[in-house]
Amino acid sequence: MAERPLTLMAVHAHPDDEATSTGGVLARYAAEGVTTVLVTCTDGRCGDGPGGVKPGEEGHDPAAVVAMRQAELEASCTTLNVTHLETLGYADSGMMGWPTNDLPGAFWTTPVADAAARLAELIRRYQPDVIVTYDENGFYGHPDHIQAHRITMAAVEQTDVPAKVYWTTVPRTAFEQFGRIMKELGVEWAEPDAADEPGPQLGLPDDEITTWVDTSKYGAQKFDALATHASQTENIFFLQLGQERFTELMGMETFLRVRDRTGAPIPEDDLFAGLR
């Protein structure tokens, strides 16, 4: 058995993504003595500015947004007890089809090999046992999420370091529960419909999910970490739930295991199953 602590690396696209889908596991495993490494690929410049000013609107200062979101990211990492934060610093590409997709320095236009080489260097440095990132569609089709997936999987192939690799996902039944709760709160919510939406569906059928990690004990930390991203509150509708409802809905983090050298049986309830 290795004497060094087990290590988890989460690769995310923007400041705030770390809290939404992996805030629970980052907090839980830090509490269990696991070294946690967060890699944030972009600077978040396409987020809202002070006062909710949107990209492209008068008064939106990308440089000021970058500085603000970096401070929020650092506060989130403190809340989640993240051991190491690494930022690749690529320019936020914005939503698919935005003009910012094609600007020089945008993450979406960065050659995968170049960004993967930088991530591979971090993988070799930290030697993570487990890596978590998004699926091929970046979960919901955001270009920076898709690019984060691509560079992560390329870096994993280059390094052959992690014993296990996971993609974040959500059980389809959770969308139904979320829809009910949002309607109770008076918030309009349209459940994803495969018949109406072209392209990949969001999430997975429950029986296809390999890994269910109970993080409900860390729901308050996850909520507080998300709340540190105060400049983006308008877009982070999960905060409208309040801490108790948020934990009820978001207290189980789910993943698809796509690489494994441990032979741990699935379904599993621990990203480090087979490693301890």
Side-chain angles (χ1 to χ4, degrees), residues 170-180 204-206 212 249:
V170 173
R172 297 262 168 83
T173 53
F175 287 112
E176 300 169 8
Q177 181 187 12
F178 183 69
R180 287 194 300 271
L204 289 173
D206 293 34
W212 303 70
L249 183 67

Side-chain angles (χ1 to χ4, degrees), residues 72-133:
E72 292 173 344
L73 177 61
E74 291 170 3
S76 175
C77 287
T78 298
T79 300
L80 297 171
N81 294 319
V82 170
T83 316
H84 303 286
L85 169 63
E86 297 284 351
T87 53
L88 299 185
Y90 293 107
D92 186 346
S93 308
M95 299 298 287
M96 190 69 80
W98 286 14
T100 47
N101 291 176
D102 301 316
L103 292 178
F107 190 37
W108 183 236
T109 62
T110 299
V112 169
D114 292 353
R118 293 183 62 197
L119 181 58
E121 181 180 343
L122 294 176
I123 292 173
R124 294 188 185 99
R125 182 190 309 169
Y126 289 110
Q127 294 288 304
D129 302 280
V130 173
I131 291 181
V132 175
T133 192

Side-chain angles (χ1 to χ4, degrees), residues 10-247:
V11 182
H12 282 290
H14 312 99
D16 76 36
D17 291 332
E18 80 290 337
T20 306
S21 59
T22 59
V25 291
L26 287 169
R28 170 179 163 167
Y29 290 120
E32 294 178 3
V34 172
T35 296
T36 55
V37 182
L38 171 63
V39 180
T40 301
C41 296
T42 80
D43 57 14
R45 66 178 56 220
C46 289
D48 290 354
V53 178
K54 307 295 181 186
E57 293 181 350
E58 184 177 355
H60 187 275
D61 180 352
V65 172
V66 169
M68 178 174 59
R69 298 197 71 183
Q70 176 67 25
E72 292 173 344
L73 177 61
E74 291 170 3
S76 175
C77 287
T78 298
T79 300
L80 297 171
N81 294 319
V82 170
T83 316
H84 303 286
L85 169 63
E86 297 284 351
T87 53
L88 299 185
Y90 293 107
D92 186 346
S93 308
M95 299 298 287
M96 190 69 80
W98 286 14
T100 47
N101 291 176
D102 301 316
L103 292 178
F107 190 37
W108 183 236
T109 62
T110 299
V112 169
D114 292 353
R118 293 183 62 197
L119 181 58
E121 181 180 343
L122 294 176
I123 292 173
R124 294 188 185 99
R125 182 190 309 169
Y126 289 110
Q127 294 288 304
D129 302 280
V130 173
I131 291 181
V132 175
T133 192
Y134 315 104
D135 63 19
E136 306 102 313
N137 190 48
F139 184 64
Y140 70 101
H142 192 295
D144 289 332
H145 288 232
I146 295 170
Q147 188 77 328
H149 162 85
R150 290 173 177 171
I151 74 161
T152 301
M153 299 313 293
V156 165
E157 290 304 313
Q158 288 179 34
T159 59
D160 197 35
V161 167
K164 305 176 85 174
V165 176
Y166 294 89
W167 297 343
T168 60
T169 191
V170 173
R172 297 262 168 83
T173 53
F175 287 112
E176 300 169 8
Q177 181 187 12
F178 183 69
R180 287 194 300 271
I181 292 174
M182 294 303 278
K183 287 173 184 175
E184 287 174 19
L185 295 172
V187 178
E188 290 189 14
W189 168 257
E191 293 178 15
D193 189 337
D196 297 334
E197 297 293 333
Q201 278 189 272
L202 296 180
L204 289 173
D206 293 34
D207 61 1
E208 292 182 18
I209 292 174
T210 62
T211 311
W212 303 70
V213 183
D214 184 356
T215 62
S216 55
K217 183 178 176 181
Y218 305 93
Q221 266 180 275
K222 181 174 177 174
F223 183 88
D224 290 347
L226 201 55
T228 65
H229 298 281
S231 68
Q232 309 305 307
T233 298
E234 182 180 329
N235 299 320
I236 304 175
F237 45 80
F238 297 111
L239 293 173
Q240 299 177 44
L241 299 172
Q243 184 177 297
E244 184 176 345
R245 273 291 178 83
F246 175 88
T247 300

